[in-house]
Structure formats: C-alpha cells, structure tokens
Amino acid sequence: MTPGVWRLSLGQRAALASMFALIVAFNFWTATTSELPARPAKDMRSYYDLLANAFLSGHLYLSVQPSPELLQLADPYDSQQNAHYRLHDAALYNGRYYLYYGPAPTLVLFVPFRLITGLDLPEPIAVALLCSLGVLFSFLLLQLLCRTYLRKVSFWLLLAGMVILAFGTTTPFLLRRPQHYEVAISAGYAFALASVYLYVLGFLPCRSNRTVFVAASVLLGLAGGSRFPALLAGMIPLAIAVRFFRNKRYGYLRDRAITVVAILGPVGASIILLGLYNYLRFGSWTEFGMHYTLQGGISARVYKWFVLSRLPSGLFYYLLAPPHFTADFPFVHAEPWLSMSPPAAFPIEPVAGIMFLAPTTLALAFAPFSYGSFRRLKVRLYKVRLYLVASILGGIGLGLLILYASCGATMRYVVDFAPFLLIPALLVWYGWICKPRIHPWLRRGVVYAFVLTMISTVVLNAAVSLTGYSDNLKKGSPQVYQIIHDFFRPLEGALCRIEMCNPELIQPIPGSTMANGSKVLFKWKAMPGATDYWIDVGTATGHGDIYGSFTHGATSAQVLLPSN
C-alpha cells in the first residue's frame, strides 16, 4: 500500500516541492507577461504604490491631485461628466483621492519594499507572490486535515490536490491582468487561507498553542484589511473560541478566557483599526469609499452594491455558466452573455461557472452522503470533527458566493470563495476513494472521474488565462502569444476542418465604433483550406440583419451601414 500522507518519503517531499515550484513559476510567468510593468522602478504610479507613497508621506489620501475641471463639475461622480478627468475607481472625497481597497497589502508588502529598495513594487509581482502563498496555505490545510483525519490518502491524491488548488481557484485568470483589484483579492486569499490553516493547526487534538492562535488572528485581520468580506473566514475561530470557552477540559475559566482572547483579540483589534482608518478618511467607521468611487456606468452615489434580486443571475454565472468553446485559439473563452443575457442593471464581466472550471466541486453534491467515508481507525470523534471543519469551510465559501452573486459577476471574485469550496470537495473525493468497503470497479470509476476533473481543471483554466479580460497576453507579450499560438496551430487547423470557425478580423479593430450611414471595409485573415467565406453584419452576435453574403473566396467585403 502506498504510504499515507503523514509519512512522506524524501522523494515524495521533493516531488511536492518541485510541483509547487512549477506552480510558482507559472504564476510569475502569467503575471509578468501581461501588459503591466513587472520590473521595480521609481514612480510607477500604480494604485498601491501611490498609497504606499501616501503613507510614507504621512497622510491617507493619494498624492495625485484631482483636476480642477473634475472638481468644478456639477456632479463629479457622474460617469459621463467625469469621463475625461477622473482617476478611474478612485474615491473622491473633499477634493482628495482615496482608495476603497484595503490598506493591508500596502503595509505588508509595498511600504517595506519601498523602504528596503527605494523602488516601487510592481503590482504583478505582488499578485503572483500572494497567489502562490494562497496555493501553499490551501495545500498545507488540505494536507493537515488528511494527515490528522484521513490517513489512508495516498501520495498521488495529495499531489493532484495541489494541482487542483492551484488552477481550480481561477487564479491563472486573475494573474493575467494583475492590477490593484487583483492585489486586494489575492491578499485576502493568501491571508485568509494562512489564517484558517493556523487556526486548525492550533486546534488539533492534544494541542492548544496560543502563539499559533495569535498569529492566525493577526493574519485574519490582514485578510479583512485587504478584502473585508474575507472576514467571513472568522467562522472558524468563532467555532474554536466557543469550543474552548465551553469545554472545561481545556483548563480553568481564566485559562480558557485567555485562549479565547488569543483566538479573537488581534482580529478584533484589526477591525477597530480598519474602522478608524475609514473614519479618518470619510468621517464614518463603516465607509470604505465605495460610495465615493469614480466609476463607469451608474454613479456610485446612487448605485446599490448588494441587491438580492441579482442573486439568481449571479449564482448562474458563478456556478453554471459554461465557458464558450471555439475552434480558434485559445479555444476556451469566458463569455457568460452568450449563455444568458444579463438582466437590467446587472454588472457583468468575463466569467465562467466554477462547476465547469473546477468540476472537482461537483463532489459537494454528495457531501451529505459522505459522512461514513470520513474516518480514522477506532476513533469516531475524529470523523465528526473533520465533517464539521469541512462543513464550516463550505459554509464560508457558500456565504462569500452569495455575497458576490448579489453584486454582479466577474471572474476575479471567484478567487474569494473557490478555495473554501474546493478543499471540502477534495475531502469528499478522498473519502470515497479511500473508503474501506467499496467494490473495486466502483473505486476505479471514482478514481478515473477524479483524474478527469483534475485534467479538465488545468486545461480550462490555463486556456482562459491566455486571454484574461481583454487579450492581456497578446497585448503585453505578442511574441510569447505567437509562439504558443504556433504550437497549437495543428490542433486549430484540425478543429477548423471539423467545425467551421471564424477567421481573425483585421479591420475594423474589434470594439471600434462605426458611424451610421458609412461604408465600412471588413478584412480578415485567410483560413487554411477555406475556398469561400460568409460574412454576417448585424445588430447582435450571430445576426445578419444588416448584411449577409458569400465573398467568393475574397478576404474582405465592403458594407454600407444603415443611417439609423
């Protein structure tokens, strides 16, 4: 029998370290091949570097001065009025710019980097580092639970779990456009998972380490200071604190109270400091600046961030919206509007359902029937504890999913809740695969299904990461994109022969605006083996209500647009 994960050999540890090194290398490659600068320099002007400069200068507002034209507008928060003057998604308050993103990444990464090197830390490097730490602590948490409660889990399952945690959280997509949005999300991800890992580590049987609890609580405070909803992970320390306080076997009341303070004290102090940070900027303990944001579309002054009526659509996009498959490279695209048109006033960006991007999570549907699979020999209590831990983790993920589904839909928000769903899902898979009394053919079927979900997770997430929100790899590193594209050209050609695919449009540039009543020349690249082309010009995708015709082999066509 393959040794359990609690007795890893030196070779197995080396294999895990090598896999993690490959994941880290992939993360940094993805982040640094986008169009954003990735080398440290002075005055980089990225949002978090601007905030670091503000802190080092002794104030909380950004050093960037709002333009006089912006301040003189009748409504500076109106997106049509401020389009040419605003610092996009910055908060404007009392003639100053602020950031609604949490300050923790600035205090932990950007300020120390500036003090040590005298240079600004590029946001792509910060996001790659934080995502790698998130993968590390997610895996350490998974390994800890297996080592304690599921000792029959074999090494290859553990290795596969690391791969699934690296790709199934959709961090590859997040890394493709590593801006300030992604800094806050990746920091919340890394700190929250590190916190949960330490909390569980401190609560292991026959162990109660207050130092570990204090570190976990500090990390949870940093998670909330990066991404406030990440504080929902506090369900774990709350459950632990209640357990310690009520159970007399953990010592006298005074000792138990001190332990509870260690568990909850630092994160409570962090919440107070975060509220004070808000008060000093906006005069309110609960205002992060979102209601003063200069955003596109609806003014932040009237926009409602959390609306329950958005929940059904949000859940569809986050869970069930399939990725769009095409015969042209890179084959997989996150285009949710092709599956269902968003309702009115529902903000939507590229996103695909986690059931497709991380099909491992489908095992959660069988979680209620998996209690008997969570076991450790002769100790029923451990089975109960593992089931409770897994349930709390899943509850955190479900809570975050509901929260963000009521806001809108965008792929980067998946990183907030996906890890808390993936870890319980992996435990369900492990429980079924290692179940003692199961027919061999059924066990093989479960193993094959698990391997297929892992392969699907890696392939789909790697594919959608090649485009990101707006062809970020193609714009940032066109030569790298071309090399990858050339490698897959045989597959692209084969798929095009099976299914008619669309040639790449050269003119007009996709996304450009065309005047009514004008003649527009459409040009596209020739497709291998194509003898003729059909062109549709319409008011919606797939419609030819303006023009539709064969071109008799030509790779261009001139179309007269209607005047209205």
Side-chain angles (χ1 to χ4, degrees):
M1 178 181 291
T2 305
V5 300
W6 72 99
R7 289 182 181 176
L8 294 177
S9 67
L10 183 62
Q12 289 173 336
R13 293 182 181 182
L16 287 173
S18 299
M19 178 60 71
F20 180 67
L22 289 174
I23 291 168
V24 172
F26 175 80
N27 287 349
F28 276 86
W29 173 84
T30 305
T32 56
T33 50
S34 296
E35 70 266 36
L36 301 173
R39 291 185 178 181
K42 292 186 177 181
D43 299 323
M44 295 194 70
R45 314 296 289 176
S46 61
Y47 283 23
Y48 270 99
D49 287 310
L50 290 173
L51 189 58
N53 183 63
F55 288 172
L56 292 173
S57 300
H59 50 78
L60 303 179
Y61 56 85
L62 302 185
S63 300
V64 178
Q65 294 295 325
S67 67
E69 293 85 357
L70 174 67
L71 299 178
Q72 292 171 4
L73 293 175
D75 182 4
Y77 300 98
D78 184 270
S79 59
Q80 294 184 350
Q81 296 183 44
N82 66 28
H84 300 293
Y85 312 116
R86 69 176 182 245
L87 182 63
H88 186 65
D89 272 353
L92 178 68
Y93 184 77
N94 284 346
R96 301 285 190 181
Y97 277 136
Y98 298 89
L99 294 185
Y100 69 83
Y101 317 111
T106 305
L107 298 172
V108 174
L109 291 177
F110 290 85
V111 168
F113 190 87
R114 172 80 67 82
L115 292 174
I116 294 171
T117 66
L119 303 173
D120 287 335
L121 175 65
E123 289 179 339
I125 299 299
V127 176
L129 174 63
L130 291 166
C131 284
S132 299
L133 290 174
V135 173
L136 174 63
F137 284 105
S138 299
F139 172 74
L140 289 176
L141 176 59
L142 178 68
Q143 183 187 32
L144 177 63
L145 294 173
C146 291
R147 185 179 66 209
T148 307
Y149 302 118
L150 288 172
R151 292 196 169 191
K152 290 183 177 293
V153 173
S154 58
F155 170 72
W156 78 268
L157 287 174
L158 195 64
L159 190 65
M162 178 185 286
V163 175
I164 290 172
L165 289 171
F167 285 84
T169 54
T170 70
T171 51
F173 187 94
L174 185 86
L175 288 157
R176 181 50 64 200
R177 192 205 62 179
Q179 290 184 320
H180 40 278
Y181 311 101
E182 288 73 25
V183 172
I185 293 171
S186 59
Y189 164 48
F191 293 139
L193 267 298
S195 171
V196 172
Y197 166 69
L198 290 180
Y199 273 126
V200 176
L201 180 66
F203 189 60
L204 281 177
C206 302
R207 181 182 299 178
S208 173
N209 193 321
R210 290 173 183 166
T211 303
V212 173
F213 284 148
V214 169
S217 190
V218 169
L219 285 167
L220 183 58
L222 290 175
S226 305
R227 187 84 166 155
F228 190 73
L231 286 175
L232 194 59
M235 292 170 61
I236 290 284
L238 280 176
I240 294 175
V242 170
R243 173 72 175 174
F244 267 95
F245 193 75
R246 296 183 61 182
N247 198 325
K248 294 182 180 180
R249 76 181 182 88
Y250 290 111
Y252 294 107
L253 178 61
R254 177 178 176 274
D255 293 330
R256 284 179 278 149
I258 293 174
T259 302
V260 169
V261 171
I263 293 170
L264 300 177
V267 65
S270 299
I271 294 173
I272 294 173
L273 289 174
L274 189 59
L276 179 61
Y277 175 68
N278 290 336
Y279 181 81
L280 294 174
R281 296 184 302 160
F282 304 111
S284 170
W285 290 80
T286 58
E287 177 58 63
F288 289 85
M290 297 177 67
H291 294 97
Y292 300 102
T293 303
L294 302 181
Q295 61 184 24
I298 303 173
S299 169
R301 301 297 294 156
V302 298
Y303 183 74
K304 295 182 179 179
W305 295 96
F306 305 105
V307 181
L308 287 179
S309 61
R310 297 177 186 154
L311 188 58
S313 299
L315 290 176
F316 171 80
Y317 289 125
Y318 281 127
L319 294 176
L320 303 174
H324 182 216
F325 296 93
T326 63
D328 51 314
F329 181 81
F331 312 118
V332 185
H333 308 270
E335 298 175 335
W337 42 84
L338 297 180
S339 303
M340 183 180 76
S341 298
F346 186 93
I348 187 171
E349 293 180 343
V351 67
I354 193 174
M355 296 301 181
F356 291 92
L357 295 182
T360 309
T361 54
L362 292 171
L364 292 175
F366 300 94
F369 312 104
S370 303
Y371 179 79
S373 301
F374 291 163
R375 61 181 297 156
R376 185 185 178 188
L377 294 177
K378 301 180 181 179
V379 187
R380 180 178 176 82
L381 175 62
Y382 284 15
K383 179 167 65 176
V384 176
R385 285 181 175 176
L386 176 60
Y387 197 78
L388 289 176
V389 170
S391 299
I392 294 174
L393 290 173
I396 295 170
L398 183 61
L400 289 169
L401 168 62
I402 292 173
L403 175 68
Y404 288 110
S406 64
C407 299
T410 181
M411 186 80 89
R412 60 181 179 270
Y413 290 173
V414 176
V415 180
D416 288 297
F417 61 82
F420 296 101
L421 299 179
L422 274 173
I423 293 174
L426 285 167
L427 292 174
V428 172
W429 282 103
Y430 292 171
W432 279 97
I433 292 174
C434 301
K435 193 173 183 178
R437 292 180 293 274
I438 185 173
H439 198 282
W441 66 264
L442 181 57
R443 189 191 308 276
R444 284 195 297 269
V446 175
V447 169
Y448 293 152
F450 178 74
V451 172
L452 285 175
T453 64
M454 181 189 67
I455 296 172
S456 175
T457 298
V458 173
V459 171
L460 293 182
N461 283 279
V464 296
S465 76
L466 293 177
T467 53
Y469 279 103
S470 57
D471 272 337
N472 303 100
L473 175 60
K474 192 174 184 179
K475 294 176 182 177
S477 301
Q479 293 180 338
V480 174
Y481 183 88
Q482 193 61 46
I483 291 172
I484 300 174
H485 190 179
D486 289 341
F487 180 82
F488 285 100
R489 281 195 188 278
L491 175 60
E492 185 178 41
L495 291 175
C496 284
R497 284 190 290 271
I498 297 172
E499 174 188 346
M500 293 180 62
C501 59
N502 296 324
E504 182 179 352
L505 187 66
I506 302 175
Q507 180 182 340
I509 299 174
S512 59
T513 303
M514 293 163 282
N516 292 337
S518 62
K519 286 187 177 181
V520 179
L521 179 64
F522 291 86
K523 297 179 66 176
W524 55 90
K525 288 185 178 180
M527 296 298 296
T531 58
D532 204 351
Y533 301 92
W534 176 275
I535 177 173
D536 271 329
V537 180
T539 55
T541 302
H543 293 190
D545 51 324
I546 295 177
Y547 180 85
S549 175
F550 284 107
T551 66
H552 305 292
T555 57
S556 65
Q558 194 169 51
V559 179
L560 176 63
L561 299 182
S563 56
N564 52 18

